[in-house]
Amino acid sequence: MPNDDLKVISIITRKGGAAKTTLTRALVSAAMSQGKRCLVFDADPQQALARWANKLQIDDPLFRIEALTMVNELTEKVEEAYENDTADFIFIDTLGAAGAWADDLAVESDAIVVPMMLSDDDLEITTDTFNWYVGLRDRAEDPEALPSFHVVLANVPAKQSKAELAIEEKAVAQFPVMDDYFMHRKQHKDASSEGFIHHIAESRRSGPGHLRVQARHFDEAIEEASSILASLMEAT
């Protein structure tokens, strides 16, 4: 039977190094930790997420990843997952371009998430992305059918500088910024070499005492991503 609860989340930014792939991986890990089946489309030309999964030989029945080179393939793939009930979430790590490609992508999405680091460059790029979304609503026959739009402040340090606080203030005034930060955490770097965060937490809990202590920090990272994911679901 079709899965009417299937959600499609696209993570998009036009700036490299803005934690897009890291955020995608964390959201997927959060969903999997709740027993949700995740289908991931890597549409970024760098294929960073797909290469990561292949390099580490990620093997989990809740996780499947495919490259997506043409957006016109997306409609068919989403429809197949919906009709055959093969996923609870579809995450799309996008190429980050505006224009027709992004327009078509948005039509298939339930939520668009834009990670933004606290820099002037990121603020400018996020402004461009938000302006694209506003323009899309103007172009759409039914704007209310479009996905919700969310900015996530990403790679946020534990203690922000005055300049970073000023950029955050500007962002909150301009965009729909989520309440939850996506913090700068060593655990995300560990995930790039070891696997999904929730898998690492599980392995640490079953290890020696000093590793069990580390598990708590991975649990905190999952809780953070889970909170972001829950907020996205409330908005769809």
Side-chain angles (χ1 to χ4, degrees):
M1 293 181 61
N3 181 4
D4 291 327
D5 294 326
L6 175 67
K7 298 297 182 184
V8 181
I9 299 176
S10 294
I11 297 87
I12 182 171
T13 178
R14 298 170 65 190
K15 179 179 179 295
K20 177 168 60 69
T21 298
T22 303
L23 175 61
T24 303
R25 184 168 54 214
L27 292 175
V28 173
S29 187
M32 291 170 63
S33 72
Q34 299 168 24
K36 302 299 183 181
R37 300 164 298 168
C38 296
L39 172 58
V40 182
F41 292 120
D42 193 340
D44 192 313
Q46 302 292 329
Q47 290 285 292
L49 198 57
R51 287 190 286 109
W52 167 81
N54 291 332
K55 178 184 68 174
L56 297 181
Q57 298 181 330
I58 301 296
D59 183 16
D60 190 304
L62 297 177
F63 173 71
R64 184 159 55 99
I65 189 166
E66 298 180 13
L68 184 70
T69 56
M70 299 179 63
V71 74
N72 59 5
E73 299 174 340
L74 182 60
T75 300
E76 180 180 349
K77 290 178 180 291
V78 170
E79 188 66 22
E80 180 181 354
Y82 165 74
E83 291 291 347
N84 297 325
D85 187 18
T86 56
D88 300 301
F89 283 99
I90 292 176
F91 293 92
I92 307 172
D93 189 359
T94 71
L95 59 78
W101 202 100
D103 287 6
D104 293 342
L105 181 72
V107 170
E108 298 297 336
S109 303
D110 294 297
I112 291 174
V113 186
V114 182
M116 186 193 110
M117 295 196 297
L118 295 173
S119 73
D120 287 321
D121 288 345
D122 280 74
L123 180 65
E124 183 177 348
I125 293 298
T126 303
T127 300
D128 290 344
T129 306
F130 183 63
N131 288 341
W132 157 76
Y133 179 77
V134 171
L136 177 62
R137 291 186 65 86
D138 291 340
R139 296 190 299 275
E141 293 183 6
D142 183 8
E144 298 309 311
L146 291 174
S148 54
F149 183 94
H150 313 266
V151 173
V152 178
L153 299 181
N155 207 23
V156 177
K159 185 175 182 179
Q160 297 178 40
S161 67
K162 288 184 178 180
E164 289 168 333
L165 289 169
I167 291 169
E168 177 179 351
E169 186 175 346
K170 290 178 182 177
V172 170
Q174 295 180 48
F175 320 122
V177 175
M178 300 188 75
D179 291 335
D180 294 290
Y181 291 143
F182 186 59
M183 300 292 292
H184 173 79
R185 294 178 182 272
K186 174 183 178 297
Q187 289 69 38
H188 295 304
K189 185 175 181 180
D190 291 338
S192 69
S193 60
E194 296 185 50
F196 283 117
I197 299 170
H198 70 291
H199 285 165
I200 301 173
E202 291 166 3
S203 68
R204 295 290 197 274
R205 269 192 293 275
S206 61
H210 68 285
L211 291 182
R212 291 197 295 273
V213 171
Q214 292 180 17
R216 176 172 57 86
H217 300 295
F218 287 96
D219 287 335
E220 290 172 354
I222 281 295
E223 289 171 5
E224 176 183 274
S226 297
S227 182
I228 293 172
L229 184 62
S231 296
L232 291 173
M233 292 305 94
E234 289 176 3
T236 60

